[in-house]
Amino acid sequence: MKVTIVGAGNVGATCADVISYRGIASEVVLLDIKEGFAEGKALDIMQCATNTGFNTKVSGVTNDYSKTAGSDVVVITSGIPRKPGMTREELIGINAGIVKTVAENVLKHSPNTIIVVVSNPMDTMTYLALKSTGLPKNRIIGMGGALDSSRFRTYLSLALDKPANDISAMVIGGHGDTTMIPLTRLASYNGIPVTEFLSEDVLQKVAADTMVGGATLTGLLGTSAWYAPGASVAYLVDSILNDQKKMIACSVFVEGEYGQNDICIGVPCIIGKNGVEEILDIKLNDHEKALFAKSADAVRSMNDALKSI
């Protein structure tokens, strides 16, 4: 199995490292426009093999899409990252042209690939990739929900003082500081609702911390996070390549699901060898439905900005 990661920056390189270390793919290609950058990252990762025991072949190339031929999955991380004080929405004009060009180039050499979009604003970039390529909707996936859900589970684990891997929780809606919806009502600790352990005030704080999880790290680091985003992409790619059929919140094209049409937005999906194999219908309460409709309106508004590009 072959994975191409376009953009060898912090997120792309971390994704390549996790995929290699876990043996998710037999081959990983890192591609970047900066001369020698992807090659250097790939060589650095490969030099971990004897110490960590992986056998994945990792290579880097400078803007040579022919080396990506035959990729089963292509991950697009390219574009500029957020800086302190910058919203994901402000990146639309800069990153739209990059994502469109990358998607067109990878499909020339891997026409049957599944594309995973990481570039921000992710919901809008996922929608752009879908519309510009004309691919079936199951083959274009935005990864934001996987990351947001991971952050949600982390904040719940801190509040509960219990292992994050014992916690089940999901974030749906847009991948934005004001548009994501942490489903506190449905979160559980080993099958027991977290509402049995945490007060409403604590749960509201957990949800609020989750929503600004990316901005918090940007403020601390001076740039976007990369460990959790890279690992979240690898988690999603693993479910595709190994046909694991995991339920993962992903930004996908909806056609009537959750009362929305013609946008890509985070919803619970079954992810397998065909990409998005099913969109699950979680029964939201009236409050959650209202939040989702508001989130969809915000995502749709960001998509409108594409018309002027």
Side-chain angles (χ1 to χ4, degrees):
M1 293 292 189
K2 181 176 180 178
V3 176
T4 286
I5 301 168
V6 183
N10 288 333
V11 174
T14 300
C15 178
D17 186 49
V18 175
I19 288 174
S20 303
Y21 180 74
R22 292 182 54 198
I24 293 169
S26 57
E27 182 178 0
V28 175
V29 177
L30 273 170
L31 184 148
D32 204 278
I33 61 171
K34 184 178 178 182
E35 186 71 36
F37 191 61
E39 291 88 337
K41 290 289 185 79
L43 185 58
D44 195 14
I45 293 170
M46 281 293 287
Q47 289 171 356
C48 298
T50 56
N51 295 321
T52 58
F54 72 79
N55 296 303
T56 302
K57 176 185 176 182
V58 186
S59 60
V61 295
T62 301
N63 218 29
D64 182 1
Y65 283 87
S66 69
K67 302 297 186 186
T68 72
S71 294
D72 298 284
V73 176
V74 172
V75 179
I76 303 177
T77 74
S78 46
I80 68 164
R82 281 204 293 175
K83 295 179 174 60
M86 179 183 285
T87 66
R88 292 181 176 93
E89 293 79 5
E90 289 175 298
L91 301 178
I92 291 177
I94 300 168
N95 287 348
I98 297 172
V99 169
K100 183 178 179 180
T101 299
V102 168
E104 291 171 349
N105 281 328
V106 296
L107 286 172
K108 292 176 184 176
H109 302 280
S110 302
N112 298 314
T113 195
I114 293 170
I115 294 177
V116 175
V117 179
V118 183
S119 308
N120 276 317
M122 191 218 58
D123 300 295
T124 298
M125 294 301 103
T126 304
Y127 181 81
L128 172 66
L130 179 74
K131 292 297 183 178
S132 65
T133 62
L135 288 179
K137 64 180 184 178
N138 63 296
R139 289 173 53 195
I140 301 285
I141 308 172
M143 61 69 68
L147 172 60
D148 297 333
S149 298
S150 177
R151 287 172 172 163
F152 186 26
R153 291 170 66 188
T154 297
Y155 284 116
L156 283 170
S157 79
L158 292 172
L160 289 163
D161 194 24
K162 299 293 189 295
N165 286 324
D166 285 348
I167 297 168
S168 177
M170 181 177 293
V171 176
I172 62 172
H175 181 57
D177 300 346
T178 61
T179 56
M180 66 180 74
I181 306 163
L183 294 173
T184 54
R185 179 179 64 90
L186 300 178
S188 64
Y189 165 59
N190 277 338
I192 304 171
V194 296
T195 52
E196 296 288 321
F197 306 99
L198 301 175
S199 68
E200 181 61 29
D201 286 346
V202 171
L203 284 172
Q204 287 183 5
K205 185 178 187 308
V206 165
D209 288 344
T210 299
M211 293 175 72
V212 296
T216 298
L217 287 164
T218 301
L220 292 169
L221 298 169
T223 186
S224 294
W226 59 89
Y227 294 122
S232 297
V233 179
Y235 180 77
L236 179 58
V237 171
D238 194 10
S239 194
I240 297 169
L241 292 184
N242 293 299
D243 196 26
Q244 294 174 336
K245 302 190 188 303
K246 290 177 180 175
M247 181 174 68
I248 305 174
C250 298
S251 183
V252 298
F253 189 72
V254 291
E255 295 177 293
E257 294 91 351
Y258 295 88
Q260 299 299 324
N261 285 283
D262 195 35
I263 57 170
C264 291
I265 191 169
V267 291
C269 301
I270 300 299
I271 303 297
K273 65 181 179 181
N274 298 310
V276 181
E277 302 203 343
E278 183 182 357
I279 295 175
L280 298 178
D281 181 17
I282 291 179
K283 303 303 180 184
L284 303 179
N285 62 28
D286 289 343
H287 177 63
E288 292 158 350
K289 288 178 181 177
L291 289 176
F292 193 86
K294 183 179 179 181
S295 177
D297 287 343
V299 171
R300 192 171 285 107
S301 177
M302 282 193 289
N303 290 350
D304 288 341
L306 293 171
K307 298 174 183 177
S308 60
I309 297 174

